[in-house]
Amino acid sequence: MRKRPGVLLSENSHPRLLREPARRRESQPARDTLRERDEQYRALFETIPIGVGFVDSAGNISAFNDAFTQPGAYDRSQIARIGNMANLFCHPEVWYEAFEAAKRQGSIQKQEVLLRRGDRTPYHALFSLIPLEIKGRPCWQVVVEDITESKRAETEIRNTVEKLRRAVDGIVHAMALMAEANAPQTAGHQRRAALLASAIAREMQLTDEKVDGVRTAALLHDIGKIWVPAEIYNKPGQISQDEFDSIK
């Protein structure tokens, strides 16, 4: 039996072996922390309402949460049979182009794509690709957000705006015709002014909205004629002061 300060050793013992229990005790809190974080991440992964999956460097799907299956109305066995991420795209070449772009750029964030449901009908989604490393192996996290409802609402708003625009155009043209009715000798002047003003606005590279505003303003630039009595506007010769005051 040999002695070292604070340690009693036999001939067959080794200081490292005597220290092992203490080392295991010291690493236990770290292992508990890692286990807790792993459980938290797994719970987040499974309950988050956005589709999240993982693919390898060839695009093969290795894991995914339930939300990943919902927009396309798939079940887990269908996703497993599909295998590769490209097969979820309406146009697989879009996946390959996005994957190559993500490798060049480092990631893809919220790219709008058309994905395919289980019944092969398309739906709109925002698609992100983020590189990760799990247990030393590189992979990619895929995030899919179904935007079908927002696209439908966007289309409805656009259609409503277009209907309103056509209604306003109708009102503007009716008012322009009313103004011309009081001055038949200048009929067509407002339409010609609108065409000329629109052409100038486009030459100035104004936006479509501004060009449309210029056209509307040109159509209505003589709107005051509506309130001028036709007998005054078409009177030959000089008008009286009272008539001039009426025009003003």
Side-chain angles (χ1 to χ4, degrees), residues 183-196:
Q185 68 273 27
T186 60
H189 160 68
Q190 289 166 245
R191 290 191 296 274
R192 291 191 296 273
L195 288 172
L196 179 59

Side-chain angles (χ1 to χ4, degrees), residues 179 181-185 225-236:
N182 269 6
Q185 68 273 27
K225 292 178 181 178
I226 292 176
W227 288 275
V228 177
E231 59 271 18
I232 295 178
Y233 196 85
N234 297 312
K235 179 182 178 180

